[in-house]
Amino acid sequence: MTDDTVPGRLGLIGCGQLGGAIAGALLRAGVVPPLRLTICTRSGPAGPMAEVAGIVWTADPQAVAQGCDTLLLALPPMAGRALRLAAGGRLVISVMAGVTLAQLATISGSPRRVRAMSNPAAQSGMAYSPFYAPGLSDADRAVTRAVFDACGLTDEVPEESQMDVFTAVTGPVPGFVAYVAQCMQEYAQSQGVAPDTARRAVAQLFRAAGTLMADSERPPAAFVQEMLDYAGTTAAGLAAMQAAGLPAAVAQGLEAARQRCLTIGAPED
Ligand SMILES: NC(=O)C1=CN([C@@H]2O[C@H](COP(=O)(O)OP(=O)(O)OC[C@H]3O[C@@H](n4cnc5c(N)ncnc54)[C@H](O)[C@@H]3O)[C@@H](O)[C@H]2O)C=CC1
Ligand SMILES: O=C(O)[C@@H]1CCC=N1
């Protein structure tokens, strides 16, 4: 990756949990140098990016829209929906949950729009960042891929509806996985394991499980079936979890998150 992968000036509006992580990823990967990065927040320099020399800071989204060539919107969805940017024909990439491509047209007026999703694991290059961008030029697609390649894995999805699915499933990190880990730690503690021991053990389990599955082409179902076929202690636990409705509970939770995205993306009255 070279310093001109993102041509011109990149303007980031929002530098919090996600925007700051993406900015860190872009700088680390050399996709854009600090001298070609403008960051807009409500309150000036923020987070680790505040220590990076060369970045231009502003509290004026219009200054970003008119002074930059590519805009990356990483502010809260409701604040983003209220924005009106004189973005002209600039490339506008959004990672705002639920904000639709149609809303991005109203926000920016630009025909060059990307609806994307990422997560704070971008900081360490471990995010999954899908994007939806019908009609995007090859050049703009290359810039979009360069941005999200720096954050981890990326895919272009064929339907905008999938962006709400991914916002629910892969947007939160550690997100829902932390909830499962919490349940496992609390079980261990209920059996007399000391809290810090339980925490360390479960963290190591998720590190191992995540690495094993990420390094494999096998779907999670294959790992589960392998344990069921083994017919040992884990098989007994898996059968009990299925009988207790774990699959339905997970699906209900993810669907609730997806529905919240649809609420954000609903046309204003
Ligand atoms: N935090 C997360 O794990 C994830 C967040 N997202 C999305 O990323 C976006 C940002 O979320 P976070 O980084 O968590 O928020 P945050 O609250 O950590 O940071 C928000 C940033 O936006 C700035 N901001 C807010 N209103 C502004 C305005 N009117 N003009 C200019 N700057 C403004 C704030 O100063 C701050 O820098 C949201 O749309 C969220 O849905 C998506 C996936 C994961
Ligand atoms: O919870 C949220 O609203 C943000 C978007 C996806 C993950 N975190």
Side-chain angles (χ1 to χ4, degrees):
M1 207 89 59
T2 65
D3 268 358
D4 60 1
T5 309
V6 172
R9 196 162 190 82
L10 175 67
L12 172 65
I13 301 180
C15 192
Q17 291 180 37
L18 184 57
I22 293 175
L26 297 180
L27 294 177
R28 175 170 38 75
V31 170
V32 68
L35 287 173
R36 287 202 283 110
L37 179 58
T38 296
I39 299 181
C40 176
T41 67
R42 276 174 310 196
S43 51
M49 290 301 111
E51 308 307 318
V52 178
I55 292 173
V56 170
W57 292 86
T58 180
D60 178 9
Q62 295 308 336
V64 178
Q66 284 150 21
C68 297
D69 305 282
T70 300
L71 310 183
L72 182 53
L73 308 186
L75 63 165
M78 300 320 285
R81 276 185 37 170
L83 269 187
R84 294 296 179 268
L85 299 171
R90 293 170 176 83
L91 174 58
V92 179
I93 302 171
S94 167
V95 290
M96 300 185 288
V99 177
T100 63
L101 219 52
Q103 290 170 327
L104 281 176
T106 303
I107 292 165
S108 69
S110 174
R112 300 162 64 196
R113 304 185 303 275
V114 179
R115 181 180 173 187
M117 183 39 55
S118 189
N119 64 52
Q123 179 61 47
S124 47
M126 291 203 291
Y128 179 69
S129 308
F131 68 92
Y132 175 71
L136 205 63
S137 71
D138 290 346
D140 284 348
R141 186 168 275 104
V143 170
T144 302
R145 284 191 173 278
V147 167
F148 292 122
D149 282 341
C151 299
L153 297 181
T154 185
D155 286 311
E156 184 170 3
V157 298
E159 304 291 338
E160 182 165 9
S161 59
Q162 294 183 13
M163 294 310 300
D164 299 308
V165 175
F166 281 116
T167 300
V169 175
T170 59
V173 173
F176 298 112
V177 175
Y179 189 20
V180 175
Q182 173 191 333
C183 296
M184 296 179 87
Q185 178 177 338
E186 287 173 354
Y187 170 77
Q189 290 174 202
S190 74
Q191 299 295 316
V193 175
D196 191 55
T197 304
R199 184 199 58 74
R200 273 163 47 87
V202 170
Q204 184 71 348
L205 165 69
F206 278 78
R207 185 196 306 272
T211 303
L212 186 65
M213 289 190 288
D215 292 349
S216 167
E217 296 284 321
R218 299 168 69 201
F223 291 101
V224 171
Q225 190 56 50
E226 191 174 278
M227 291 181 282
L228 290 171
D229 294 345
Y230 187 83
T233 57
T234 309
L238 290 168
M241 286 180 179
Q242 186 159 34
L246 180 62
V250 171
Q252 284 171 16
L254 294 173
E255 177 59 7
R258 188 184 75 90
Q259 288 296 329
R260 178 64 62 85
C261 290
L262 297 180
T263 302
I264 295 169
E268 293 176 47
D269 300 333

